[in-house]
Amino acid sequence: MFGFEPNEEQKMLVDSVQRYALNDLRAAAHDADEAGELPPALVKKGWELGVLQASIPEAYGGFGDRSAVTGVLAAEELGYGDLTAGLAVMAPAAYAIPILVAGTEEQKKSLLPPVVEGDWKPYVSAFVEPNLDFSAADMRTTAVRKNGSYVLNGVKTLVPHAANAAGLLVYAALDGKTQAFVVPPKSAGLKIGDREAWCGLNALPTHKLTLEGVTVPADARLGGDAGHDPQPLIAATQVAAAALAIGLAKAAYEYSLAYAKDRTVFGVPIAQKQSLAFMLAEMATDIEAIRLLVWEAAWLLDEGKDAAHAAQMAILGASDTAMMVTDRAVQLLGGHGYIREHPVERWMRNGRGVPNFPGMAMV
Amino acid sequence: MFGFEPNEEQKMLVDSVQRYALNDLRAAAHDADEAGELPPALVKKGWELGVLQASIPEAYGGFGDRSAVTGVLAAEELGYGDLTAGLAVMAPAAYAIPILVAGTEEQKKSLLPPVVEGDWKPYVSAFVEPNLDFSAADMRTTAVRKNGSYVLNGVKTLVPHAANAAGLLVYAALDGKTQAFVVPPKSAGLKIGDREAWCGLNALPTHKLTLEGVTVPADARLGGDAGHDPQPLIAATQVAAAALAIGLAKAAYEYSLAYAKDRTVFGVPIAQKQSLAFMLAEMATDIEAIRLLVWEAAWLLDEGKDAAHAAQMAILGASDTAMMVTDRAVQLLGGHGYIREHPVERWMRNGRGVPNFPGMAMV
Amino acid sequence: MISFEIPDKVRNAVTLMTMVGENMMRPVARYFDDHEHEVPWDYINMMHDANKQMGGGGFVPSTDKPKKAEGEAPKKEGPRVAYQRLAYSAEALSWGDAALYLCSPVGLLGAAAVAATGTPEQKQRFLARFAGDKPVLDGMALTEPHAGSAMPADVRTTAVRDGDSGVLNGEKIFVTGAHKALIDTQGFLVIWATIDASAGRAGVRPFVVEAGTPGCTVTKLEHKLGIRASDTGSVVLQDCRIPFDNILGSPEVEKKTTEGFKGAMATFDASRPMVAASAMGIARATLETLKELLAQNGVTLRTGIPRSRMTNIEREVADMEIQLRSTWLLILKSVWMMDEKKPNNLEASMGKMRAGDVVVRITQKAVELLGPLGYSREHLIEKWFRDAKVNDLYEGTGQINRLIIARRILGYGRRELA
Amino acid sequence: MISFEIPDKVRNAVTLMTMVGENMMRPVARYFDDHEHEVPWDYINMMHDANKQMGGGGFVPSTDKPKKAEGEAPKKEGPRVAYQRLAYSAEALSWGDAALYLCSPVGLLGAAAVAATGTPEQKQRFLARFAGDKPVLDGMALTEPHAGSAMPADVRTTAVRDGDSGVLNGEKIFVTGAHKALIDTQGFLVIWATIDASAGRAGVRPFVVEAGTPGCTVTKLEHKLGIRASDTGSVVLQDCRIPFDNILGSPEVEKKTTEGFKGAMATFDASRPMVAASAMGIARATLETLKELLAQNGVTLRTGIPRSRMTNIEREVADMEIQLRSTWLLILKSVWMMDEKKPNNLEASMGKMRAGDVVVRITQKAVELLGPLGYSREHLIEKWFRDAKVNDLYEGTGQINRLIIARRILGYGRRELA
């Protein structure tokens, strides 16, 4: 049975996240971008919507079961509000969901409750690496077994809140296979670089993380000695980033559509020009089509089916869509699109980074 | 000194080729395409314009000096008339120009006069190979030295008039370097396949050519024992195909522009719709820009400079332009574009093949 | 609920149609491309038999389709998937061969119009013939010589009421399957005509004209770039007299109001996804064959690597996969909405527009990527490229569909956006 | 004659500007991006000195530029290449840094307007100041708050004649370099105003407003996505009184005819290639740096292979090279036509449109291809992406230029194509 409509529970969640996105994230995004920081109360409020908490069973401190489909519905709304803040709110998910999915019972019991009980805390993951052909399935950071421990070496980038992380999940290649390790933030050999500066994401502090012989015990590896299949984790973070990107695209599409209807030249709304109206038609269609790719990949994850290919299609398609749509949104605003008073240039800057964001959030 | 205007002599040639293109080639193209053959008188008339003859010095039976720039100006007009017939008219150039450029004095003296003196005769070249990643610089057809001769093995495709060729120039890899060899059409081991059927080019008979141990004497190699630099030949045939493609694109652009001005819906010419008018603006701009790439590559050839990169840019750019413009021309005609009464579908079919046509003509 | 589970009923139809495509269509696809206007009777008869064996209702969903044998217990109604099955069937048959698919005697665009807007009596009267002894084709006639593309609002063919009759006069062009519906079989066309030329678009309505009706003649067959097994004809209506209740829809549609027009236009919400699905079939066939030819020629396609590590060919194929799947999901959503009786006008146009773009892009790229193999008639790739282009032209060009989408999302009418 | 030989004069200018770009602009480009609205005095003063040393005529071609020392023999006139040199200079300086280039005290868009349409007396009066003691900037003010983009025909700022004076009233927005021209230096703006609001476009003319003119104030500086070293200001004209012969052009331009308007519009045929050339400089810088970063990171780019054998990155780079070179040649042709005094309106718009497209595409793709390196502020790639986008927006958006091109090739006016 095909179905293209969220269920009642999902609709309620989407409604509440959307309200937060529109009332809180949108209102704060410009100043946060200029100031280079998100108001902590803003992130706290997003956290209290309970998107992650509802994905973690009661046994581990949460109050629900994980659904990647529900996750992408929520993520789209966060991206619709502000992708930067969305990544901040969802950062702990990039730490907790892998533990939930791939951790041993003991790891789940010990590691999850501190994340989901209480306020938002910077539990984050270190995933992306600073090379242009970074591949999630073929990382340069390595893990080597040594005397019953694992020794990690390598460089990570785009690690949010690394300077004050409460917990760190680090991905590394163990015998060529990507595996995740829980690394205490104060580990010896772990160097936190200066805050990074990007084209976008200005309000989110990220850092380079250098691992020089960082040693963690055997039980720091997700799944213990047996380890875990990295593919479902890679897929889950790809669809999370894809959903955020679709939300961002939708925001830019809606804003530029409203602008084009409102803005008149020679007394006629510019939306009445075929060239601009057709742009909008293509933007709307792309968003609609690629959103369904994202949903399908999430659904495959929930069904326990192989989602690797679908998730890659989703992130590639959503990245392209975010980049195309935000560029056109700027274009639709003309000179006004270039001015930071309007959000479209920020959305374009944030959107350009989407291909790099998998690893920073998870559903 | 930059200059973007043909000189007087070139203008006269362009005028006469354009008249032939519009009056003769255009008029014959539809029926030739449906019938699968070009009227011999049509090709003869094109030949008598003397484009090739004017490129061959008097010492070798012609009446001028080669200019690749002049060549591309003429080729554009031929493509503007009918690309298929243009390839037929120019086929002997693909045989003669390499001999002129890379041949020994003796080769030029003996091989060129029969080509350029008298009527059009099917002197042709065998260049393209039937593999999807065919590369002019890395051919699968091989030439091996043996007892003072060369032994050729391999398969060629898109060889025009192979069944009744008066002369054949075959390209093969000798120690990994592309070299051209004059091969008598009746050579032992040379098998002419059935006539090929393509998406377009219906009026031009082409064949597969299989070489099984075809043996030619040492002096059959262009340039004799020393051989020749293949790059200027590859570049010269790339710009020839590119110029034909630009002509084809111009034809499709002009036809669809005129149609769009003429065709009314609700009493308004469809060209007054921004979506269609902007398509035309982009088509015109692409043609103009890529034409200059073709000119520059030809100019570099005439200056004796390295034209390899410029020529590749020219053929890639011109192929893309031909494909984009002809597709849009069909689109501009709507349902009528799909009907063989209008030439645009034929231009689209011919245009789709452009990336495969280098080797079939030369300037 | 969000789910991407293909229903069993649909899956079974796909299996069957794929067998037909593989065994009955692919082997003769080149022949009928080479022999334009030759009628593929073997295929038509086979499909007719198959349709009868499956109950004879044709492919077109209709809750009012001819009843099963008397006394048989009515089946317990599951979720409605009829339009989903239809889209999957159109896709699978077009994967076999899009031109032959258009010769299927199972109810195509004309039948879709009847199913979407006809009264129960009309559905019975016109759709029953698909279960008759002989195969029957149908079609839809909209475009006229003066108009650029399918523009319902610009119809000049007139329908004048004369007692219980309607008298049609006008000319239609680019009628897919006109000859097969009216001459080769005892089928019918749905012909758009105006009941009041002074009323503009508000007067335009669909009428059913059956084969053999005096005054209705097929005057010309087009020679086309592609889909050559399917004829494209011109139809002249000269004092063509039909029962006036061949006007599709409830009596209200006779009122010369924009509402009546809009009701009649609902036919496109059903037909566009069918055309889009057919386009997807060509695109999928092309992508699969491209991959096969690449593999045969030693080109390996790796998966699970980022774009930065891909070859150009890998990247093109990855892009094709994204386009194909996302567009198919969009079309699926639009037919799911039909089945769920949700308004799907926007989604139907989005699917049609994107399908036209995508099938053209995929087939053109495939020709290009395969070099001489793509351009040669030894393979079907070049044929599919030629077949594909019609999907961006007929049943509304890409531009017309953009116009429809843009008006919808902007809340504009013809006055604001023309 | 067809030739692609770069003239010596032009080559020398490129060498010089490239040195400036490399040594004076690249090292501070990031700083001035981070410090929006800080005036780059070092660059401005250096360029002013360099300009004076080269004769002080500024970059803008003018046959009437200030004479050399008396008695000096007039140079033998070679072929005219002044606009070609100008385009190459704009390209090379924008290769250095497009934002700083816009701060060059050598005559930019305002000076181009004076050079293109001013009388000899006006050229002398307004262009001489670029050779003065202190650096001077200029600009052009066209867009107004009510209009979407630069639309000369939609100007509402008024110019009323009062004896020998003109009195300007209105507001201009998005004036590139307004603050530097009017506040930071003793420069000028060319301001478009209507001499007869009832005459529509026929009444619109360019006026020179000099720094220090009472009633002309810079009211706002925009915070922008890119080109942050260049200020973008709003200018309010309140009973701003200027000599009426600051109206650019021969006396005929005062006639309220479409001809007069068209004459004034010729300024765009000179200014569009400058903007396009600047865009090309950003694009070339990006492409070169992309290649360097790829090489540094172990990605080899092979040449001379067909597309079917390329990696995705190789194909993207090859496409960039085609776009960059073909667009540059188109721009060169348009300035060659200026030098040859041939009408270049179509080519100027084509070059501007395509340059906007190409620089946006190349910079966006470069950010993408380089992954985290492209997105990071450690390199200039992300800055160039931000700088680039303005080229598709200012001095006529891509859409406006398409409109101009389409009207030209179709022979349409505003009535037929709006």
Side-chain angles (χ1 to χ4, degrees), chain D residues 122-201:
Chain D
Q122 287 173 330
K123 291 183 195 179
Q124 168 63 30
R125 187 148 58 96
F126 298 123
L127 300 181
R129 73 189 61 197
F130 293 107
D133 287 343
K134 289 189 175 172
V136 161
L137 272 95
D138 64 301
M140 174 131 78
L142 178 57
T143 307
E144 301 186 359
H146 66 280
S149 173
M151 299 284 279
D154 194 23
V155 161
R156 296 185 191 170
T157 296
T158 54
V160 176
R161 183 159 200 157
D162 179 17
D164 285 348
S165 297
V167 180
L168 303 185
N169 277 286
E171 183 181 359
K172 296 288 177 180
I173 62 169
F174 298 160
V175 184
T176 301
H179 198 273
K180 292 192 183 64
L182 298 183
I183 312 291
D184 300 323
T185 73
Q186 292 295 306
F188 65 86
L189 294 182
V190 171
I191 287 186
W192 291 77
T194 178
I195 51 178
D196 182 358
S198 69
R201 63 210 297 259

Side-chain angles (χ1 to χ4, degrees), chain A residues 271-284:
Chain A
Q272 297 192 13
K273 300 293 176 192
Q274 267 199 357
S275 61
L276 302 180
F278 283 20
M279 271 193 206
L280 287 163
E282 290 166 359
M283 291 154 77

Side-chain angles (χ1 to χ4, degrees), chain C residues 191-208:
Chain C
I191 288 185
W192 292 77
T194 177
I195 52 178
D196 182 359
S198 69
R201 64 210 297 258
V204 176
R205 295 291 179 280
F207 292 84
V208 176

Side-chain angles (χ1 to χ4, degrees), chain D residues 30-87:
Chain D
R30 176 61 69 186
Y31 176 88
F32 285 103
D33 185 60
D34 286 343
H35 297 79
E36 195 167 19
H37 297 155
E38 188 173 322
V39 181
W41 282 117
D42 284 353
Y43 171 75
I44 291 172
N45 288 326
M46 180 279 304
M47 281 301 282
H48 180 65
D49 290 346
N51 182 35
K52 278 202 297 187
Q53 280 164 27
M54 289 186 292
F59 279 15
V60 171
S62 164
T63 50
D64 317 291
K65 73 171 101 174
K67 292 249 171 52
K68 300 250 163 160
E70 293 264 350
E72 196 178 322
K75 273 197 188 158
K76 200 179 157 194
E77 206 179 341
R80 288 188 207 89
V81 298
Y83 277 101
Q84 296 166 49
R85 187 173 51 190
L86 178 65

Side-chain angles (χ1 to χ4, degrees), chain B residues 1-5 133-134 138 253 261 272 274 282 285-286 288-289 292 296 299 309 312 320, chain D residues 1-3 5 79 84 305 307-309 321 325 330 333 342 350 354 402 409-410 416-418:
Chain B
M1 272 299 298
F2 288 110
F4 295 90
E5 208 170 45
D133 62 347
F134 168 70
D138 179 23
Y253 157 68
K261 284 187 76 168
Q272 297 192 13
Q274 266 199 358
E282 290 166 0
T285 305
D286 249 38
E288 182 73 24
L292 296 176
E296 184 175 41
W299 176 81
H309 187 60
Q312 197 192 20
D320 289 348
Chain D
M1 204 191 58
I2 292 172
S3 169
E5 188 80 52
Q84 296 166 49
I305 53 170
R307 254 187 205 153
S308 51
R309 297 185 182 193
E321 285 173 341
R325 187 65 190 169
L330 185 51
K333 181 176 173 183
K342 295 176 193 285
M350 283 179 162
R354 199 170 159 92
R402 278 169 177 77
I409 59 178
L410 287 160
E416 291 85 14
L417 189 64

Side-chain angles (χ1 to χ4, degrees), chain C residues 352-367:
Chain C
K352 168 70 173 68
M353 181 266 270
R354 196 170 161 95
D357 282 357
V358 163
V359 73
V360 167
R361 187 174 186 283
I362 287 180
T363 56
Q364 291 188 352
K365 271 283 163 199
V367 168

